Amino acid sequence: MSERNTPTRVLVVDDEPEVRDAYRQILLENEVTQEMVGFRELRSRLFKKNPGDVARERSAARAGTIEPVFCDGAEAAVRLVKEGITRNEPFAVVFLDMRMPPGPDGVWAAQHIREVDPAVEIVICTAYSDADPGEIGGLVPPEDKLSYLQKPFHPHEIRQMTIALSSKWRAERRIVRLAYFDTLTGLPNREQSRNRLVGALQAAKDNKRTLAVLYLDLDNFKRVNDTLGHAVGDELLCVVAERLRSSLRYGGESSPAGTADSARPGDIARLGGDEFLVLLPNLRSAADAGSVAERLISSLREPVQLAMNSLVVTPSVGIAVYPQDGEDAETLMRNADLAMYFAKRRSPGTHAYFDAAMNANALHRFTVEEQLRGALDRDEFALQYQPQFDVRTGTVSGMEALLRWTNAELGAISPAEFIPVAEETGLIHAIGKWVLLNACRQARKWRDQGLPFQRIAVNVSGRQFALAEYPSEVAQILEETGLEPSALELEITESVVMADEVWAQKAINELKQLGISLAIDDFGTGYSSFGRLRHFSVDRLKIDRSFVSSVTECNDDRAIAAAIIAMSRSLRINVTAEGVENFPQLAFLQEQECQDAQGFLLSRPLPADAASELLKRANDASDESRTARLRVIIG
Ligand code: C2E
Ligand code: MG
Ligand code: MG
């Protein structure tokens, strides 16, 4: 960028004052710069640039003069090169005398300079034939950045070499900029930030210090890009980059006393898109990384004014700390990225520290999602059926279809785990349809076999329920399978109904018009009251397992369960108690005159064949007494 206008720095190292003077005359001669101009002009003409460009280049080249620096010994030379690097004013070329008694020689100097500056062009000058290029080249790699000059030399040689080598050096620097810096924001890019992280990690290891990696991702940048166009998006990224950069630089003033270490400027890079990485070397404590993260976040809270728009894009930030969260660059970057992902999920515009559980959980979550996508096609789903008993008569009143998923990589996964993933990804629509279709088919089959069985219960996700076309989907499946609507009961949870009561009312009415029944699942876990539920024409409440399991121990739950049963009776709503696991619980339900019960005590969910067997047994025992029937069915 502005680099073109800065002078090219050349270091001359020779112990003889006369030689240094000779260099001075040659390098400060106006001609060198003029020759550079001539060379550029010739090149421009050869490649047919327009005259404006040539004029601009000419003035740029005039500004790009040579700035020679002189010293008389090897040690001073190394020191000067080091200073140049730290001030970001590196030398392009170093002319080194081979022999500088009594100090170290040119080869020593070249080796040390090369360690400090891998890019500088080194020229070794000698009056003797004692410099064996083959040998020195091996000591001071790379060979293409090492040249030789035999004394006495002609001014032309020095001049030509200076021009040729500095222009090669500039070209290489430009390539490096392109390879290691983001052209939009001028920040280091992913490659460069990784290199810096590797270097910082080595330093942290050597000095037994800690460091942190912050992964930033803008929360709503994509929307800006999509709605306002890429040009605005690019501008916004530049503003964001500048704010983050200055917030890191000037953070010291605004940070609370005692966190001075955290205020030490960090290194910021753009990883691509709307992702940035901040490296905090020399961290005093892991907690300091969190305050830096908050500072970065608040630096972006102030709206950005672009054209007619006032935009706010806050980042979600993930933090990984060396050594506890990883000992190498890849692990730290990956873990910071994961933590960012968690922060964004939990609450955008906040920061989160990585912890080991995130790793296992997140990876597992990704795998579940990945595998779930192909599960229908691979025919990995199956239904099991859990009987619901009428405890007053001892007959099977219904069967609840419960989805099972067995995957080659993950094994059997519980619906409590994969249903939320299916809901988040929208896969629940196709999966739910599959469930309803297969449950209705099975119910129709049992009906055709004349087995005693009143209804099939099918769970419906809130996502399905929220679709306007859901009732027609149900109607179509009923028609396709030929199951009479009165044999189908859909289970929706309380929270789904309460999320949008107006919508729920409408959807429930539409479904009821098909002639099917509706049950509220897991009742008691949400916040609905009987008063509000009464407005919905539901047919059944299923008392959540958590109440049933404690009716024999907890007086409150006992009272709640009893109240639900009694009030349902007065509202003429049916009740099913879920999760009945032992006889005392069953006795309690009978005492309260609860109609239906479902639970492991009576039967676990069964594969279709076993469920058919159970229905047959129930059929055969239809003439027995209630207790005898229950005994036969339970087996
Ligand atoms: P849910 O609808 O409340 O189903 C009852 C759950 O309780 C089932 O778990 C069942 O196996 C379990 N259960 C029944 N009796 C007992 C008992 O005595 N003790 C204990 N500890 N558990 C008992 P499952 O099959 O793991 O299903 C969990 C949940 O996943 C279901 O809760 C339901 O919300 C959801 N789910 C299952 N299948 C489907 C489906 O096809 N579609 C949708 N949307 N959700 C489903
Ligand atoms: Mg259910
Ligand atoms: Mg339930």
Side-chain angles (χ1 to χ4, degrees), residues 2 12 36 47 63 78 163 248 282 321 345 435 448 468 495 526 547 569 585:
S2 61
V12 174
M36 267 182 157
F47 294 103
V78 175
I163 291 168
L248 279 174
N282 302 325
V321 178
R345 291 231 143 182
V435 170
D448 291 346
S495 52
F547 295 104
R569 194 165 36 239
Q585 290 166 355

Side-chain angles (χ1 to χ4, degrees), residues 4 25 50 60 87 153 175 189 198 258 283 293 312 320 388 401 407 410 436 450 479 481 488 537 547 572 619 632:
R4 293 200 115 170
Q25 271 177 24
N50 65 44
R87 287 212 316 267
F153 34 71
I175 290 167
N189 64 10
V198 168
L283 204 64
V312 179
Q388 301 172 332
N407 174 264
L410 295 159
L436 187 61
E479 192 175 310
T481 55
L488 176 63
S537 38
F547 295 104
R572 275 186 281 280
N619 198 21
V632 170

